[in-house]
Amino acid sequence: MTLEEIEWNTEDQGRGADCHIVSPFDGQPTGIIFRICGPDSLAAQRAQLLFNDERVEAAEGSTGRVSAAEFESLYIRHLARLVVDLTAEETAGKRLALSTENLTKLLRVPWLRAQVDEFAGNRANFAPGGR
């Protein structure tokens, strides 16, 4: 792999790859698709820095610790920052708008968040020619 290929892949990861969410009950597609930027993209690097800053800020309280609930909220916001696009329905026939509020609502669902988290962290999903 050349430096040029590495740089191209990092840039390409910023465009994202589609994470098709499946039902945890029967494995069938839900119709929800998150386009996630790759872990080596500039957007993911910025999101990681913000996440780290927020954790430090949250820990600067009197105890110097971050509660599990606060950490989960911070992590959900982190995952939301990795989303480039969203395909989902709010109600039958009405597309759900891409917004931090809507992403946060969706990502608060544990089985859905687990799929997005696993996809986002797997570089194979963002390999050249792998999409």
Side-chain angles (χ1 to χ4, degrees):
M1 185 175 252
T2 67
L3 175 59
E4 181 180 55
E5 291 168 326
I6 292 168
E7 289 174 335
W8 180 86
N9 180 253
T10 299
E11 183 179 319
D12 187 51
Q13 285 189 32
R15 292 185 261 288
D18 290 344
C19 173
H20 295 261
I21 302 300
V22 297
S23 167
F25 309 110
D26 60 12
Q28 296 300 309
T30 62
I32 299 171
I33 304 168
F34 289 85
R35 176 157 293 171
I36 308 291
C37 65
D40 301 314
S41 68
L42 293 177
Q45 292 172 45
R46 282 191 301 272
Q48 185 64 47
L49 289 172
L50 282 169
F51 178 54
N52 291 341
D53 285 345
E54 289 172 342
R55 289 188 324 191
V56 168
E57 187 177 311
E60 288 178 342
S62 62
T63 65
R65 298 175 63 105
V66 179
S67 72
E70 178 67 11
F71 182 85
E72 183 174 273
S73 290
L74 293 173
Y75 194 69
I76 287 169
R77 283 202 305 266
H78 168 68
L79 285 178
R81 289 184 187 113
L82 301 179
V83 178
V84 177
D85 197 11
L86 172 67
T87 302
E89 290 188 350
E90 184 172 1
T91 58
K94 183 179 177 196
R95 186 175 172 157
L96 187 64
L98 176 63
S99 70
T100 301
E101 180 182 352
N102 287 336
L103 289 171
T104 300
K105 282 181 187 178
L106 288 169
L107 292 169
R108 286 202 184 286
V109 178
W111 61 264
L112 200 148
R113 180 173 61 248
Q115 291 180 50
V116 170
D117 187 32
E118 182 180 337
F119 185 92
N122 185 348
R123 281 183 171 81
N125 293 323
F126 306 95
R131 287 177 262 160

